[in-house]
Amino acid sequence: MDWYGNQLGPMSADELAQVLSAEAAEACGQKAGQDASQVWRAYQDAMVAVAGIVSVDRAALEQSARAAAAARRRCMGPSWAEAFFGDNERLLAAQLAGRGSPEVAPQPLPDAAARSAAVDASWASWRQRIEDAQQAVNQLRNDPSLDSEARAGKFHELIEQRFAETERLRAEGLLRPTLGG
């Protein structure tokens, strides 16, 4: 929702509601599009309701935090307000109470380290495959027996052999400029 909110200005809230609804409908069906539009409007109402709350001292900040939480729940309903703001509200409450408690802060998923390692391995594999392909492209570029049409054909074959269909456009974009002519 924050991404859509950052688009305010170039687009009106109503235009953004339509865009969000259309994107959700395309991705998840018509009902999801309608729901997304309603949640967007409720989210906007909650943000407007909270916007005027400014605090200077701890007591005022605590009162403001309670008022903001109540405004979010009133505008969005308890379940959506909890989904969007619950963790942050609990963390702020703990910090204001001087607890700064780690159990209140969102905890990483149990498999976060494995997921992170898998992403790192995937990027390392991608970089290595691009480097290997770059060497092959350099050989194609420097092969005097190939005219530009044959070189382009070999380049296309190289991309198809070394990269999955979902990677080919990106790989081609990275490697084609180094092919030359």
Side-chain angles (χ1 to χ4, degrees):
M1 292 293 169
D2 288 335
W3 183 88
Y4 287 95
N6 287 333
Q7 305 309 306
L8 284 170
M11 296 175 82
S12 71
D14 288 337
E15 289 171 323
L16 284 169
Q18 291 174 349
V19 168
L20 179 79
S21 179
E23 289 179 2
E26 182 179 326
C28 303
Q30 192 62 34
K31 173 79 169 96
Q34 293 166 351
D35 290 347
S37 181
Q38 288 174 336
V39 170
W40 165 251
R41 291 179 195 287
Y43 180 82
Q44 285 295 290
D45 291 344
M47 298 309 286
V48 168
V50 171
I53 300 172
V54 178
S55 304
V56 211
D57 61 26
R58 180 178 298 239
L61 186 56
E62 288 172 347
Q63 184 178 0
S64 296
R66 285 191 300 275
R72 291 178 187 123
R73 278 155 182 71
R74 183 182 69 250
C75 294
M76 298 183 78
S79 60
W80 282 109
E82 174 61 29
F84 278 93
F85 302 105
D87 288 341
N88 290 339
E89 290 171 351
R90 283 186 292 283
L91 181 58
L92 177 60
Q95 289 171 339
L96 289 173
R99 293 191 311 266
S101 174
E103 70 270 3
V104 178
Q107 298 297 308
L109 296 172
D111 62 343
R115 293 170 114 186
S116 181
V119 168
D120 290 344
S122 177
W123 276 112
S125 169
W126 169 257
R127 283 190 297 274
Q128 185 61 53
R129 289 184 300 132
I130 287 291
E131 288 175 19
D132 293 346
Q134 182 62 61
Q135 290 176 1
V137 168
N138 290 342
Q139 290 173 352
L140 287 175
R141 185 184 66 231
N142 297 324
D143 187 341
S145 69
L146 298 174
D147 62 14
S148 62
E149 189 175 312
R151 187 173 289 115
K154 294 277 188 188
F155 176 76
H156 185 70
E157 287 175 18
L158 180 140
I159 295 293
E160 284 190 356
Q161 291 169 354
R162 295 180 182 226
F163 297 97
E165 186 175 343
T166 56
E167 302 172 318
R168 290 179 188 152
L169 182 61
R170 186 169 160 219
E172 187 172 330
L174 291 169
L175 297 168
R176 183 173 293 287
T178 65
L179 182 62

